[in-house]
Coordinates of all heavy atoms in Angstrom, one line a residue:
M1 N -65.2 -26.5 -63.8 CA -64.0 -25.7 -64.2 C -63.9 -24.4 -63.3 O -64.9 -23.9 -62.9 CB -64.1 -25.2 -65.6 CG -63.8 -26.3 -66.6 SD -63.9 -25.6 -68.3 CE -63.4 -27.0 -69.3
E2 N -62.6 -24.1 -63.0 CA -62.4 -22.9 -62.2 C -61.8 -21.8 -63.2 O -61.0 -22.2 -64.0 CB -61.3 -23.1 -61.1 CG -61.7 -24.2 -60.2 CD -62.6 -23.7 -59.0 OE1 -62.3 -22.6 -58.6 OE2 -63.5 -24.5 -58.5
M3 N -62.1 -20.6 -63.0 CA -61.5 -19.5 -63.8 C -60.2 -19.1 -63.1 O -60.1 -18.8 -61.9 CB -62.4 -18.3 -63.8 CG -63.7 -18.5 -64.6 SD -64.4 -16.9 -65.1 CE -64.8 -16.2 -63.5
P4 N -59.1 -19.2 -63.9 CA -57.8 -18.8 -63.3 C -57.7 -17.3 -63.0 O -58.2 -16.5 -63.7 CB -56.7 -19.2 -64.4 CG -57.5 -19.5 -65.6 CD -58.9 -19.6 -65.3
F5 N -56.9 -17.0 -62.0 CA -56.7 -15.6 -61.7 C -55.6 -15.0 -62.5 O -54.7 -15.7 -63.0 CB -56.3 -15.4 -60.2 CG -57.5 -15.5 -59.3 CD1 -57.7 -16.7 -58.6 CD2 -58.3 -14.4 -59.1 CE1 -58.8 -16.8 -57.7 CE2 -59.4 -14.5 -58.2 CZ -59.7 -15.7 -57.6
I6 N -55.6 -13.7 -62.7 CA -54.5 -13.0 -63.4 C -53.6 -12.5 -62.3 O -53.9 -11.6 -61.6 CB -55.1 -11.8 -64.3 CG1 -56.1 -12.4 -65.3 CG2 -54.0 -11.1 -65.0 CD1 -57.1 -11.3 -65.7
N7 N -52.4 -13.2 -62.2 CA -51.5 -12.9 -61.2 C -50.9 -11.4 -61.3 O -50.7 -10.8 -60.3 CB -50.3 -13.8 -61.2 CG -50.4 -15.0 -60.3 OD1 -51.3 -14.9 -59.4 ND2 -49.5 -15.9 -60.4
E8 N -50.7 -11.0 -62.5 CA -50.1 -9.7 -62.7 C -50.4 -9.3 -64.1 O -50.4 -10.1 -65.1 CB -48.5 -9.8 -62.6 CG -47.8 -8.5 -62.8 CD -46.3 -8.7 -62.7 OE1 -45.8 -9.8 -62.7 OE2 -45.6 -7.7 -62.6
C9 N -50.6 -8.0 -64.3 CA -50.7 -7.4 -65.7 C -49.9 -6.1 -65.7 O -50.2 -5.2 -64.9 CB -52.2 -7.1 -66.1 SG -52.2 -6.3 -67.7
A10 N -48.9 -6.1 -66.5 CA -48.0 -4.9 -66.6 C -48.5 -3.8 -67.4 O -47.8 -2.8 -67.6 CB -46.6 -5.4 -67.2
V11 N -49.7 -3.9 -68.0 CA -50.2 -2.9 -69.0 C -51.0 -1.9 -68.2 O -52.3 -1.9 -68.1 CB -51.0 -3.6 -70.1 CG1 -51.4 -2.6 -71.1 CG2 -50.2 -4.8 -70.7
E12 N -50.3 -0.9 -67.6 CA -51.0 0.0 -66.7 C -51.9 1.0 -67.5 O -52.7 1.7 -66.9 CB -50.0 0.7 -65.8 CG -49.3 -0.3 -64.9 CD -48.5 0.3 -63.8 OE1 -48.6 1.5 -63.6 OE2 -47.9 -0.5 -63.0
S13 N -51.7 1.1 -68.8 CA -52.5 2.0 -69.6 C -53.9 1.5 -69.7 O -54.8 2.2 -70.1 CB -51.9 2.2 -71.0 OG -51.7 1.0 -71.6
C14 N -54.1 0.2 -69.5 CA -55.5 -0.4 -69.6 C -56.4 0.2 -68.5 O -56.0 0.3 -67.3 CB -55.4 -1.9 -69.5 SG -57.0 -2.7 -69.6
S15 N -57.6 0.4 -68.9 CA -58.6 1.0 -67.9 C -58.9 0.0 -66.8 O -59.4 0.5 -65.7 CB -59.9 1.4 -68.6 OG -59.6 2.5 -69.5
Y16 N -58.7 -1.2 -67.0 CA -59.0 -2.2 -65.9 C -57.8 -2.4 -65.0 O -57.9 -3.2 -64.0 CB -59.3 -3.6 -66.5 CG -60.7 -3.6 -67.2 CD1 -60.8 -3.6 -68.6 CD2 -61.9 -3.6 -66.5 CE1 -62.0 -3.6 -69.3 CE2 -63.1 -3.6 -67.1 CZ -63.2 -3.6 -68.5 OH -64.4 -3.6 -69.2
N17 N -56.7 -1.7 -65.2 CA -55.4 -2.0 -64.5 C -55.2 -0.9 -63.4 O -55.2 0.3 -63.7 CB -54.2 -2.0 -65.5 CG -53.0 -2.5 -64.9 OD1 -52.5 -2.0 -63.9 ND2 -52.4 -3.5 -65.5
V18 N -55.0 -1.3 -62.2 CA -54.6 -0.4 -61.1 C -53.4 -1.1 -60.4 O -53.6 -2.3 -59.9 CB -55.7 -0.1 -60.1 CG1 -55.2 0.8 -59.0 CG2 -56.9 0.5 -60.9
G19 N -52.2 -0.5 -60.4 CA -51.1 -1.0 -59.7 C -50.6 -2.4 -60.2 O -50.3 -3.3 -59.4
S20 N -50.6 -2.5 -61.5 CA -50.2 -3.8 -62.1 C -51.1 -5.0 -61.8 O -50.7 -6.1 -61.8 CB -48.7 -4.2 -61.8 OG -47.9 -3.2 -62.3
A21 N -52.3 -4.7 -61.4 CA -53.3 -5.7 -61.2 C -54.5 -5.5 -62.1 O -54.9 -4.3 -62.3 CB -53.8 -5.8 -59.7
C22 N -55.1 -6.6 -62.6 CA -56.3 -6.5 -63.4 C -57.5 -6.6 -62.5 O -57.6 -7.4 -61.7 CB -56.3 -7.6 -64.4 SG -57.8 -7.6 -65.5
H23 N -58.5 -5.7 -62.8 CA -59.7 -5.7 -62.0 C -61.0 -6.0 -62.8 O -62.1 -5.7 -62.4 CB -59.8 -4.4 -61.2 CG -58.7 -4.2 -60.2 ND1 -58.7 -4.9 -59.0 CD2 -57.6 -3.4 -60.3 CE1 -57.6 -4.5 -58.4 NE2 -56.9 -3.7 -59.1
A24 N -60.8 -6.4 -64.1 CA -61.9 -6.9 -64.9 C -62.4 -8.2 -64.3 O -61.5 -9.1 -63.9 CB -61.5 -7.1 -66.3
L25 N -63.7 -8.4 -64.1 CA -64.1 -9.7 -63.5 C -63.7 -10.9 -64.3 O -63.4 -11.9 -63.7 CB -65.6 -9.6 -63.2 CG -66.1 -8.6 -62.2 CD1 -67.6 -8.6 -62.1 CD2 -65.4 -8.8 -60.9
A26 N -63.8 -10.8 -65.6 CA -63.5 -11.9 -66.5 C -63.0 -11.4 -67.8 O -63.7 -10.6 -68.5 CB -64.7 -12.8 -66.7
I27 N -61.8 -11.7 -68.2 CA -61.2 -11.3 -69.5 C -61.3 -12.4 -70.5 O -61.6 -13.5 -70.2 CB -59.7 -10.8 -69.4 CG1 -58.8 -12.0 -69.1 CG2 -59.6 -9.7 -68.3 CD1 -57.3 -11.8 -69.3
T28 N -61.2 -12.0 -71.8 CA -61.1 -12.9 -72.9 C -59.7 -12.8 -73.6 O -59.3 -11.7 -73.8 CB -62.2 -12.7 -73.9 OG1 -63.5 -12.8 -73.3 CG2 -62.1 -13.6 -75.1
I29 N -59.1 -14.0 -73.8 CA -57.8 -14.0 -74.5 C -58.1 -14.6 -75.9 O -58.8 -15.5 -76.1 CB -56.8 -14.9 -73.8 CG1 -56.5 -14.4 -72.4 CG2 -55.5 -15.0 -74.6 CD1 -55.7 -13.1 -72.3
G30 N -57.4 -14.0 -77.0 CA -57.5 -14.4 -78.4 C -58.2 -13.3 -79.1 O -58.6 -12.3 -78.5
D31 N -58.3 -13.4 -80.4 CA -58.4 -14.5 -81.3 C -57.0 -15.0 -81.7 O -56.1 -14.2 -81.8 CB -59.2 -14.2 -82.6 CG -60.6 -13.7 -82.4 OD1 -61.1 -13.8 -81.3 OD2 -61.2 -13.2 -83.3
P32 N -57.0 -16.3 -82.1 CA -55.8 -16.8 -82.8 C -55.5 -16.0 -84.1 O -56.4 -15.5 -84.7 CB -56.1 -18.2 -83.1 CG -57.2 -18.6 -82.2 CD -58.0 -17.3 -82.0
P33 N -54.2 -15.8 -84.4 CA -53.0 -16.5 -83.9 C -52.4 -15.8 -82.7 O -51.3 -16.2 -82.3 CB -52.1 -16.6 -85.1 CG -52.4 -15.4 -85.8 CD -53.8 -15.1 -85.7
H34 N -53.0 -14.7 -82.2 CA -52.3 -13.9 -81.2 C -53.0 -14.1 -79.8 O -54.2 -13.8 -79.7 CB -52.3 -12.4 -81.6 CG -51.5 -12.2 -82.8 ND1 -50.2 -12.5 -83.0 CD2 -51.9 -11.7 -84.0 CE1 -49.8 -12.2 -84.2 NE2 -50.8 -11.7 -84.9
A35 N -52.2 -14.4 -78.8 CA -52.8 -14.6 -77.5 C -52.9 -13.2 -76.8 O -52.4 -13.0 -75.7 CB -51.9 -15.5 -76.7
H36 N -53.6 -12.3 -77.4 CA -53.7 -11.0 -76.8 C -54.9 -10.9 -75.9 O -55.8 -11.7 -76.0 CB -53.8 -9.9 -77.9 CG -55.1 -10.0 -78.7 ND1 -55.1 -10.7 -79.9 CD2 -56.3 -9.6 -78.5 CE1 -56.3 -10.7 -80.4 NE2 -57.1 -10.0 -79.6
C37 N -54.9 -9.9 -75.0 CA -56.0 -9.7 -74.1 C -57.0 -8.9 -74.9 O -56.9 -7.7 -75.1 CB -55.6 -9.0 -72.8 SG -57.0 -8.6 -71.8
D38 N -58.1 -9.6 -75.2 CA -59.2 -8.9 -76.0 C -60.0 -7.9 -75.2 O -60.8 -7.2 -75.7 CB -60.1 -10.0 -76.5 CG -60.9 -9.6 -77.8 OD1 -60.4 -8.8 -78.6 OD2 -62.1 -10.0 -77.9
T39 N -59.8 -7.9 -73.9 CA -60.5 -7.0 -73.0 C -59.8 -5.7 -72.8 O -60.3 -4.8 -72.2 CB -60.8 -7.8 -71.6 OG1 -61.4 -9.0 -71.9 CG2 -61.8 -7.0 -70.7
F40 N -58.5 -5.7 -73.2 CA -57.7 -4.4 -73.1 C -58.5 -3.3 -73.7 O -59.0 -3.3 -74.8 CB -56.4 -4.7 -73.8 CG -55.6 -3.4 -74.0 CD1 -54.9 -2.8 -73.0 CD2 -55.5 -2.8 -75.3 CE1 -54.2 -1.6 -73.2 CE2 -54.8 -1.6 -75.5 CZ -54.1 -1.1 -74.4
F41 N -58.5 -2.2 -72.9 CA -59.3 -1.0 -73.3 C -58.7 0.2 -72.6 O -58.4 0.2 -71.4 CB -60.8 -1.2 -72.9 CG -61.7 -0.1 -73.5 CD1 -61.8 0.1 -74.9 CD2 -62.5 0.6 -72.7 CE1 -62.6 1.0 -75.4 CE2 -63.3 1.6 -73.2 CZ -63.4 1.8 -74.6
V42 N -58.6 1.3 -73.4 CA -58.1 2.5 -72.8 C -59.2 3.6 -72.9 O -59.7 3.8 -74.0 CB -56.8 3.0 -73.6 CG1 -56.3 4.3 -73.1 CG2 -55.7 2.0 -73.6
T43 N -59.5 4.2 -71.8 CA -60.5 5.3 -71.7 C -60.1 6.2 -70.6 O -59.0 6.0 -70.0 CB -61.9 4.8 -71.6 OG1 -62.8 5.9 -71.8 CG2 -62.2 4.1 -70.3
S44 N -60.8 7.2 -70.3 CA -60.4 8.3 -69.4 C -60.6 8.0 -68.0 O -60.3 8.8 -67.1 CB -61.2 9.6 -69.8 OG -62.6 9.4 -69.7
F45 N -61.2 6.8 -67.7 CA -61.4 6.5 -66.2 C -61.1 5.0 -66.0 O -61.0 4.2 -67.0 CB -62.9 6.8 -65.9 CG -63.9 6.0 -66.6 CD1 -64.4 4.8 -66.2 CD2 -64.4 6.5 -67.8 CE1 -65.3 4.1 -66.9 CE2 -65.3 5.8 -68.6 CZ -65.8 4.6 -68.1
K46 N -61.0 4.6 -64.8 CA -60.7 3.2 -64.4 C -62.0 2.4 -64.3 O -63.0 2.9 -63.7 CB -59.9 3.1 -63.1 CG -58.5 3.7 -63.3 CD -57.6 2.8 -64.2 CE -56.2 3.3 -64.3 NZ -55.4 2.5 -65.3
G47 N -62.0 1.2 -64.8 CA -63.2 0.3 -64.7 C -62.9 -0.9 -63.9 O -61.9 -1.1 -63.3
G48 N -63.9 -1.8 -63.9 CA -63.7 -3.1 -63.2 C -64.1 -2.9 -61.7 O -64.5 -1.8 -61.3
D49 N -63.9 -3.9 -61.0 CA -64.2 -3.9 -59.5 C -62.9 -3.8 -58.8 O -62.1 -4.7 -58.8 CB -64.9 -5.3 -59.2 CG -65.3 -5.3 -57.7 OD1 -64.8 -4.5 -56.9 OD2 -66.0 -6.3 -57.3
P50 N -62.7 -2.7 -58.1 CA -61.4 -2.4 -57.4 C -61.2 -3.4 -56.3 O -60.0 -3.7 -56.0 CB -61.6 -1.0 -56.8 CG -62.9 -0.5 -57.2 CD -63.6 -1.5 -58.0
A51 N -62.2 -4.1 -55.8 CA -62.0 -5.1 -54.8 C -61.7 -6.5 -55.3 O -61.4 -7.4 -54.5 CB -63.2 -5.1 -53.9
A52 N -61.8 -6.7 -56.6 CA -61.7 -8.0 -57.2 C -60.4 -8.1 -58.0 O -59.9 -7.1 -58.5 CB -62.9 -8.3 -58.1
T53 N -59.9 -9.3 -58.0 CA -58.7 -9.7 -58.9 C -59.3 -10.3 -60.1 O -60.1 -11.2 -60.1 CB -57.8 -10.6 -58.2 OG1 -57.3 -10.0 -57.0 CG2 -56.6 -11.0 -59.1
G54 N -58.8 -9.9 -61.3 CA -59.3 -10.3 -62.6 C -59.1 -11.8 -62.8 O -58.1 -12.4 -62.3
Q55 N -60.0 -12.4 -63.5 CA -59.9 -13.9 -63.9 C -60.1 -14.0 -65.4 O -60.6 -13.1 -66.0 CB -60.9 -14.7 -63.1 CG -60.6 -14.7 -61.6 CD -61.8 -15.4 -60.8 OE1 -62.7 -14.7 -60.4 NE2 -61.6 -16.7 -60.7
V56 N -59.7 -15.2 -65.9 CA -59.8 -15.5 -67.3 C -61.2 -16.1 -67.6 O -61.4 -17.3 -67.1 CB -58.7 -16.4 -67.8 CG1 -58.8 -16.6 -69.3 CG2 -57.3 -15.8 -67.5
G57 N -62.1 -15.4 -68.2 CA -63.4 -15.9 -68.5 C -63.5 -16.8 -69.7 O -64.3 -17.7 -69.7
A58 N -62.7 -16.6 -70.7 CA -62.7 -17.4 -71.9 C -61.4 -17.2 -72.6 O -60.7 -16.1 -72.5 CB -63.8 -16.9 -72.8
C59 N -61.0 -18.2 -73.4 CA -59.8 -18.1 -74.2 C -60.0 -18.9 -75.5 O -60.4 -20.0 -75.5 CB -58.6 -18.7 -73.4 SG -57.1 -18.7 -74.5
K60 N -59.6 -18.2 -76.6 CA -59.8 -18.8 -77.9 C -58.6 -19.4 -78.5 O -58.6 -19.8 -79.6 CB -60.4 -17.7 -78.8 CG -61.8 -17.2 -78.4 CD -62.3 -16.0 -79.3 CE -62.0 -14.7 -78.5 NZ -62.6 -13.6 -79.2
M61 N -57.5 -19.5 -77.7 CA -56.2 -20.0 -78.1 C -56.2 -21.5 -78.0 O -55.6 -22.1 -77.1 CB -55.0 -19.4 -77.4 CG -55.0 -17.9 -77.5 SD -54.9 -17.3 -79.2 CE -53.4 -17.9 -79.8
T62 N -56.9 -22.2 -78.9 CA -57.0 -23.7 -78.8 C -55.7 -24.4 -78.9 O -55.6 -25.6 -78.5 CB -58.0 -24.2 -79.9 OG1 -57.5 -23.7 -81.2 CG2 -59.4 -23.7 -79.7
D63 N -54.6 -23.8 -79.4 CA -53.3 -24.5 -79.5 C -52.5 -24.3 -78.3 O -51.4 -24.9 -78.2 CB -52.6 -24.0 -80.7 CG -52.1 -22.5 -80.6 OD1 -52.8 -21.8 -79.8 OD2 -51.1 -22.1 -81.2
C64 N -53.0 -23.6 -77.2 CA -52.3 -23.5 -76.0 C -52.5 -24.8 -75.1 O -53.6 -25.3 -75.0 CB -52.7 -22.3 -75.2 SG -51.9 -22.1 -73.6
R65 N -51.4 -25.2 -74.5 CA -51.6 -26.5 -73.7 C -52.4 -26.3 -72.5 O -52.9 -27.3 -71.9 CB -50.2 -27.0 -73.4 CG -49.4 -26.2 -72.4 CD -48.0 -26.8 -72.3 NE -47.1 -26.0 -71.4 CZ -47.1 -26.2 -70.1 NH1 -47.7 -27.2 -69.5 NH2 -46.3 -25.5 -69.4
H66 N -52.7 -25.1 -72.1 CA -53.6 -24.8 -70.9 C -55.0 -24.7 -71.3 O -55.9 -24.5 -70.5 CB -53.1 -23.5 -70.2 CG -51.7 -23.6 -69.7 ND1 -51.3 -24.4 -68.7 CD2 -50.6 -22.8 -70.1 CE1 -50.0 -24.2 -68.5 NE2 -49.6 -23.3 -69.3
N67 N -55.3 -24.8 -72.6 CA -56.7 -24.5 -73.1 C -57.5 -25.8 -73.1 O -57.0 -26.8 -73.7 CB -56.7 -23.9 -74.5 CG -58.0 -23.3 -74.9 OD1 -59.0 -24.0 -75.0 ND2 -58.0 -22.0 -75.0
S68 N -58.7 -25.8 -72.5 CA -59.6 -26.9 -72.6 C -61.0 -26.4 -72.9 O -61.5 -25.6 -72.1 CB -59.6 -27.7 -71.2 OG -60.5 -28.7 -71.2
R69 N -61.5 -26.9 -74.0 CA -62.9 -26.5 -74.4 C -63.1 -25.0 -74.4 O -64.0 -24.4 -73.9 CB -63.9 -27.1 -73.5 CG -63.8 -28.7 -73.5 CD -64.7 -29.3 -72.4 NE -66.1 -28.9 -72.6 CZ -66.9 -29.6 -73.4 NH1 -66.5 -30.7 -74.0 NH2 -68.2 -29.3 -73.6
L70 N -62.0 -24.3 -74.9 CA -62.1 -22.8 -75.0 C -62.1 -22.1 -73.7 O -62.5 -20.9 -73.6 CB -63.3 -22.3 -75.9 CG -63.3 -22.9 -77.3 CD1 -64.6 -22.6 -78.0 CD2 -62.1 -22.4 -78.1
E71 N -61.6 -22.8 -72.7 CA -61.4 -22.2 -71.3 C -60.0 -22.4 -70.9 O -59.3 -23.3 -71.3 CB -62.3 -22.8 -70.3 CG -63.8 -22.7 -70.6 CD -64.3 -21.3 -70.4 OE1 -63.6 -20.4 -69.8 OE2 -65.5 -21.0 -70.8
C72 N -59.4 -21.4 -70.1 CA -58.1 -21.6 -69.6 C -58.1 -22.4 -68.3 O -58.8 -22.1 -67.4 CB -57.5 -20.2 -69.3 SG -55.8 -20.3 -68.7
Q73 N -57.2 -23.4 -68.3 CA -57.1 -24.2 -67.1 C -55.7 -24.2 -66.5 O -55.3 -25.1 -65.7 CB -57.5 -25.7 -67.4 CG -59.0 -25.8 -67.8 CD -59.9 -25.5 -66.6 OE1 -60.0 -26.3 -65.7 NE2 -60.5 -24.3 -66.6
A74 N -55.0 -23.1 -66.8 CA -53.7 -22.8 -66.1 C -54.0 -22.5 -64.6 O -55.1 -22.0 -64.3 CB -53.0 -21.7 -66.7
G75 N -53.0 -22.7 -63.7 CA -53.2 -22.3 -62.3 C -53.5 -20.8 -62.2 O -54.3 -20.4 -61.3
S76 N -52.8 -20.0 -63.0 CA -53.0 -18.6 -63.0 C -52.2 -18.1 -64.3 O -51.5 -18.9 -64.8 CB -52.4 -17.9 -61.8 OG -51.0 -18.1 -61.7
I77 N -52.5 -16.9 -64.7 CA -51.7 -16.3 -65.8 C -51.1 -15.0 -65.5 O -51.5 -14.3 -64.5 CB -52.6 -16.2 -67.1 CG1 -53.6 -15.0 -67.0 CG2 -53.4 -17.5 -67.4 CD1 -54.1 -14.6 -68.3
A78 N -50.2 -14.6 -66.4 CA -49.6 -13.2 -66.3 C -49.8 -12.6 -67.7 O -49.9 -13.2 -68.7 CB -48.1 -13.3 -66.0
V79 N -50.0 -11.3 -67.7 CA -50.2 -10.5 -68.9 C -49.2 -9.4 -69.0 O -48.8 -8.8 -67.9 CB -51.7 -9.9 -68.9 CG1 -51.9 -9.1 -70.1 CG2 -52.7 -11.1 -68.9
G80 N -48.7 -9.2 -70.2 CA -47.6 -8.2 -70.3 C -47.9 -7.3 -71.6 O -48.8 -7.6 -72.3
R81 N -47.0 -6.4 -71.8 CA -47.2 -5.4 -72.9 C -46.9 -6.1 -74.2 O -46.0 -6.9 -74.4 CB -46.2 -4.3 -72.8 CG -46.6 -3.3 -71.7 CD -45.8 -2.0 -71.8 NE -46.0 -1.2 -70.6 CZ -45.4 -1.4 -69.5 NH1 -44.5 -2.4 -69.4 NH2 -45.6 -0.7 -68.4
A82 N -47.7 -5.8 -75.2 CA -47.5 -6.2 -76.6 C -47.4 -4.9 -77.4 O -47.6 -3.8 -76.9 CB -48.7 -7.0 -77.1
R83 N -47.1 -5.1 -78.7 CA -46.9 -3.9 -79.5 C -48.1 -3.0 -79.5 O -48.1 -1.8 -79.4 CB -46.6 -4.4 -81.0 CG -45.9 -3.3 -81.8 CD -45.3 -3.8 -83.0 NE -46.1 -4.9 -83.6 CZ -45.8 -5.6 -84.7 NH1 -44.7 -5.3 -85.3 NH2 -46.6 -6.5 -85.2
E84 N -49.3 -3.6 -79.6 CA -50.5 -2.8 -79.6 C -51.5 -3.3 -78.6 O -52.7 -3.7 -78.9 CB -51.2 -2.8 -81.0 CG -50.4 -2.1 -82.1 CD -51.1 -2.2 -83.5 OE1 -52.3 -2.4 -83.5 OE2 -50.3 -2.1 -84.4
G85 N -51.1 -3.4 -77.4 CA -52.0 -3.9 -76.4 C -51.4 -4.8 -75.4 O -50.3 -4.4 -74.8
A86 N -51.9 -5.9 -75.1 CA -51.5 -6.8 -74.0 C -51.5 -8.2 -74.5 O -52.4 -8.6 -75.2 CB -52.4 -6.6 -72.9
D87 N -50.6 -9.0 -74.0 CA -50.5 -10.4 -74.4 C -50.5 -11.3 -73.2 O -49.9 -11.0 -72.1 CB -49.2 -10.7 -75.1 CG -49.2 -10.4 -76.6 OD1 -50.3 -10.0 -77.1 OD2 -48.2 -10.4 -77.2
C88 N -51.1 -12.5 -73.3 CA -51.0 -13.5 -72.2 C -49.6 -14.1 -72.3 O -49.2 -14.7 -73.3 CB -52.0 -14.7 -72.5 SG -51.8 -16.0 -71.3
L89 N -48.8 -13.9 -71.2 CA -47.4 -14.4 -71.2 C -47.3 -15.9 -70.8 O -46.3 -16.5 -70.9 CB -46.6 -13.6 -70.2 CG -46.6 -12.0 -70.4 CD1 -45.8 -11.4 -69.3 CD2 -46.0 -11.7 -71.8
T90 N -48.5 -16.4 -70.4 CA -48.5 -17.9 -70.0 C -48.8 -18.7 -71.2 O -48.8 -20.0 -71.1 CB -49.5 -18.0 -68.9 OG1 -49.3 -17.0 -67.9 CG2 -49.4 -19.4 -68.2
Y91 N -49.2 -18.1 -72.3 CA -49.4 -18.9 -73.6 C -48.3 -19.8 -73.9 O -47.1 -19.4 -73.9 CB -49.6 -17.9 -74.7 CG -49.7 -18.5 -76.1 CD1 -50.7 -19.4 -76.4 CD2 -48.8 -18.2 -77.1 CE1 -50.8 -19.9 -77.7 CE2 -48.8 -18.7 -78.3 CZ -49.9 -19.6 -78.6 OH -49.9 -20.2 -79.9
S92 N -48.6 -21.1 -74.1 CA -47.6 -22.1 -74.4 C -48.2 -23.0 -75.5 O -49.0 -23.9 -75.2 CB -47.3 -22.9 -73.1 OG -46.5 -23.9 -73.3
P93 N -47.7 -22.9 -76.7 CA -48.3 -23.7 -77.8 C -48.0 -25.2 -77.5 O -46.9 -25.5 -77.0 CB -47.5 -23.3 -79.0 CG -46.9 -21.9 -78.7 CD -46.8 -21.9 -77.2
R94 N -48.9 -26.1 -77.8 CA -48.7 -27.5 -77.6 C -47.6 -28.1 -78.4 O -47.4 -27.6 -79.5 CB -50.0 -28.3 -78.0 CG -51.2 -28.0 -77.2 CD -52.4 -28.8 -77.7 NE -53.7 -28.1 -77.4 CZ -54.4 -28.3 -76.3 NH1 -54.0 -29.1 -75.4 NH2 -55.5 -27.6 -76.1
Ligands
SF4_101 S1 -54.8 -5.6 -70.4 FE1 -56.3 -7.3 -70.0 S2 -55.4 -8.4 -68.2 FE2 -54.4 -6.3 -68.3 S3 -55.6 -5.0 -67.0 FE3 -56.4 -4.8 -69.1 S4 -58.1 -6.3 -69.2 FE4 -56.8 -6.9 -67.4
SF4_102 S1 -52.4 -19.6 -70.7 FE1 -53.1 -20.4 -72.7 S2 -55.3 -21.0 -72.3 FE2 -54.7 -19.7 -70.6 S3 -55.4 -17.6 -71.2 FE3 -53.2 -17.8 -71.8 S4 -53.3 -18.5 -74.0 FE4 -55.3 -18.9 -73.0

């Protein structure tokens, strides 16, 4: 399996976000029933690897058609703002 890249994340308040790009090495999506970014975190400094583009390390949304064995097998994903954090915009219920 390959880990998909995060093409874009609009949640600039997240500590892993610089310039609408995620720099966490591997994020987790879920728990159900919400496809939120569980790695979303706000603190006073930026984290992650500035030279790396974030990838999806694990996903608990078993009802998404891109999910296989609790891993995301989409070509890539996008993340956007949610009411209290960030959501996977590529989530697609079967
Ligand atoms: S909200 Fe999630 S996808 Fe977006 S920058 Fe933060 S960790 Fe990355
Ligand atoms: S596209 Fe589906 S399987 Fe991939 S991270 Fe988003 S919710 Fe999980």
